Amino acid sequence: MSDRPVLLGAVADDFTGATDLAALMARAGLSVSLRIGVPKGDPVSDADCEVVALKIRTEPVKQAVTEAQAALDWLQAIGAGTFFWKYCSTFDSTATGNIGPVAEAMMAQLNCDQTVYCPSFPENGRTVFQGHMFVGEDLLSDSPMRNHPLTPMTDSSLLRLLAPQVTKPVGLVNRRTVSSGIAEVQEQLRQLKNDGCQHIILDAINDDDLNVLGAAIASLKLITGGSAIALPLVRALSGATGSRRQTDDNAPIDNTPLILSGSCSAMTRRQVARFAASHAALQLNPLDLAKDGAALQQAKHWLGSQPPGSAKMIYATAEPDEVKQAQSQLGRDKAGQLVEDALAELAQTALQTGHRRFVVAGGESSGAVTKALAVDQLRIGKEIAPGVPWTFARTGKFDIALALKSGNFGDETFFEQALEVLQQ
Ligand code: ADP
């Protein structure tokens, strides 16, 4: 255990969700450290907040619970005072979902008999009213989430979704109570606890609601939810314990940037097109990568031939018909793997040839590049766009900066903004 306890220790069920959570906590001006998987060495931390990123959203329940417990063991060992279980703001969960079982396992380990569920993220259009989730103006079950390939959401009632996942009763603190204030929320939580309700859904339709809730629930041992509640929560926690370390958000990192994009999402396509129009850019094609090693060698040569210090981009990002063509010839998984392997190898080459600032577009692509760069801890810096911060890491003897963007995050100017934010 370090001499100064960590304010909040969080377990996140996926990688970009962990970055999103860390970004929101860093907005409070606290230092945030993100671990990729459960750290192996001595349990020490010098950050205000620690996030352990797992990949358990769609894992079998038993496996998810075991991994979450291991992460919680580590967070307890570093002396965290309050704990957080982070899942998606659209409550993504399979029929045998992991949200409830992980929450109950964490409650048992922490010896607490009530927790709250606050997935609401008003800034991104996710709100909860009378226990029902809305995406924009639509019920969750009418939103595109109903067709999600892995976690289709066809019911909008969080009470109905959660009840079969847990062994104890589920209750609600509704908007009427939240709008009445902190004391009323706390009183209702007490009443629900007296009635035996251990799992409490929280309504929230705007940031004012989240501010009330953050203050009202800060004394609980375990809080669960999306990333948005974490900001008022850590504000309440740090307010209660006095001044903390400030975020070290502009660590000096050599300015040799590279953008790697393996995302084909609509927003990334616009971002890539815009950046490529005014910067050096090279496109990778999985059909060429599949032939022999020549395409990858050419890409490495191209990378080495760019002026030192210049901003450049290598991307496999393509329009849907090109993606379909590659997939029909190679198979979906092989096409994806070829691109991810190429981006990973190019990231390693780039590191060896002096690149120190990496912007990566795509959730899976970010995973592949982060793994190739052998990074196991990220410190969270300035936010570029909501939920996408610059992060800082050490790999071997190099300090590097990484910005990991999932498909639809950021606006069209994201890549330019990312590079600018580090110059400030
Ligand atoms: P997003 O966050 O936008 O979903 P991901 O990186 O998670 O992005 O997923 C994109 C997937 O598409 C990756 O597996 C990537 O390797 C693959 N991919 C990228 N470019 C192409 C392409 N031109 N053809 C086929 N697959 C591609």
Side-chain angles (χ1 to χ4, degrees):
M1 193 189 292
S2 68
D3 53 347
R4 193 165 180 180
V6 171
L7 273 185
L8 189 72
V11 180
D13 72 349
D14 86 342
F15 190 77
T16 38
T19 326
D20 176 13
L21 174 69
L24 271 284
M25 297 195 300
R27 272 192 207 171
L30 303 178
S31 63
V32 184
S33 150
L34 191 160
R35 313 287 180 145
I36 295 164
V38 182
K40 300 254 166 15
D42 288 343
V44 285
S45 168
D46 61 0
D48 297 322
C49 305
E50 284 279 358
V51 181
V52 178
L54 302 177
K55 201 172 178 318
I56 56 170
R57 182 166 302 163
T58 55
E59 289 293 298
V61 170
K62 207 166 155 213
Q63 169 86 10
V65 166
T66 305
E67 288 188 40
Q69 283 171 324
L72 183 56
D73 279 340
W74 185 82
L75 292 167
Q76 286 183 288
I78 59 167
T82 301
F83 300 87
F84 197 92
W85 163 221
K86 157 74 173 68
Y87 39 82
C88 189
S89 59
T90 41
F91 215 74
D92 299 12
S93 187
T94 60
T96 51
N98 293 332
I99 293 178
V102 168
E104 279 197 329
M106 290 176 77
M107 287 169 79
Q109 193 166 329
L110 294 168
N111 201 18
C112 62
D113 52 11
Q114 190 177 57
T115 191
V116 290
Y117 297 75
C118 186
S120 178
F121 195 164
E123 190 182 357
N124 279 351
R126 279 83 156 117
T127 54
V128 179
F129 184 66
Q130 302 296 13
H132 287 69
M133 162 76 65
F134 290 80
V135 176
E137 293 181 350
D138 295 324
L139 280 165
L140 176 64
S141 53
D142 294 330
S143 78
M145 281 304 295
R146 68 172 293 110
N147 299 317
H148 191 280
L150 301 176
T151 53
M153 303 304 290
T154 54
D155 191 347
S156 307
S157 162
L158 300 184
L159 287 95
R160 272 198 305 264
L161 286 165
L162 186 60
Q165 297 186 18
V166 291
T167 59
K168 295 289 189 310
V170 177
L172 172 70
V173 172
N174 71 19
R175 174 87 208 305
R176 203 184 170 95
T177 306
V178 177
S179 64
S180 303
I182 298 168
E184 286 75 6
V185 171
Q186 289 175 329
E187 176 52 30
Q188 177 143 28
L189 286 173
R190 260 192 301 277
Q191 279 176 20
L192 285 162
K193 195 196 273 191
N194 290 341
D195 295 344
C197 269
Q198 296 202 355
H199 303 278
I200 314 301
I201 307 286
L202 303 177
D203 272 3
I205 64 165
N206 56 34
D207 286 344
D208 290 342
D209 292 346
L210 291 180
N211 289 335
V212 168
L213 290 170
I217 62 180
S219 60
L220 296 182
K221 199 79 185 155
L222 175 68
I223 289 108
T224 89
S227 55
I229 185 65
L231 174 58
L233 176 65
V234 294
R235 279 199 181 124
L237 290 171
S238 61
T241 58
S243 73
R244 306 290 300 180
R245 302 168 199 93
Q246 288 302 296
T247 179
D248 140 28
D249 54 14
N250 263 338
I253 301 284
D254 286 354
N255 184 13
T256 315
L258 173 64
I259 292 165
L260 293 167
S261 177
S263 160
C264 298
S265 297
M267 181 49 80
T268 308
R269 297 204 307 273
R270 289 170 53 193
Q271 292 161 341
V272 164
R274 183 186 161 103
F275 193 82
S278 54
H279 295 84
L282 177 79
Q283 185 169 20
L284 298 174
N285 182 335
L287 293 170
D288 295 337
L289 293 169
K291 281 186 207 141
D292 52 33
L296 188 54
Q297 282 311 319
Q298 275 165 15
K300 287 183 185 174
H301 184 258
W302 179 87
L303 190 58
S305 68
Q306 299 305 308
S310 66
K312 60 203 82 75
M313 172 167 70
I314 298 180
Y315 63 101
T317 306
E319 295 300 313
D321 52 343
E322 292 172 75
V323 173
K324 267 201 200 94
Q325 200 193 352
Q327 288 178 338
S328 67
Q329 290 191 37
L330 300 167
R332 194 188 66 179
D333 291 350
K334 182 157 184 219
Q337 200 58 52
L338 280 163
V339 168
E340 286 171 38
D341 290 349
L343 293 177
E345 205 171 321
L346 287 163
Q348 285 170 337
T349 305
L351 181 69
Q352 295 310 326
T353 54
H355 294 80
R356 298 291 179 263
R357 299 182 181 187
F358 297 86
V359 182
V360 191
E364 296 298 322
S365 310
S366 293
V369 168
T370 309
K371 203 165 156 208
L373 292 176
V375 166
D376 58 11
Q377 180 178 13
L378 303 173
R379 282 174 300 112
I380 305 301
K382 267 195 184 144
E383 216 172 353
I384 304 158
V388 196
W390 268 108
T391 71
F392 302 103
R394 182 141 188 102
T395 172
K397 50 187 191 316
F398 305 125
D399 288 320
I400 61 169
L402 275 167
L404 308 173
K405 183 195 88 77
S406 74
N408 282 315
F409 277 34
D411 69 15
E412 204 168 311
T413 61
F414 177 83
F415 294 135
E416 286 99 326
Q417 279 178 39
L419 301 184
E420 265 170 44
V421 162
L422 268 201
Q423 314 286 9
Q424 289 160 15

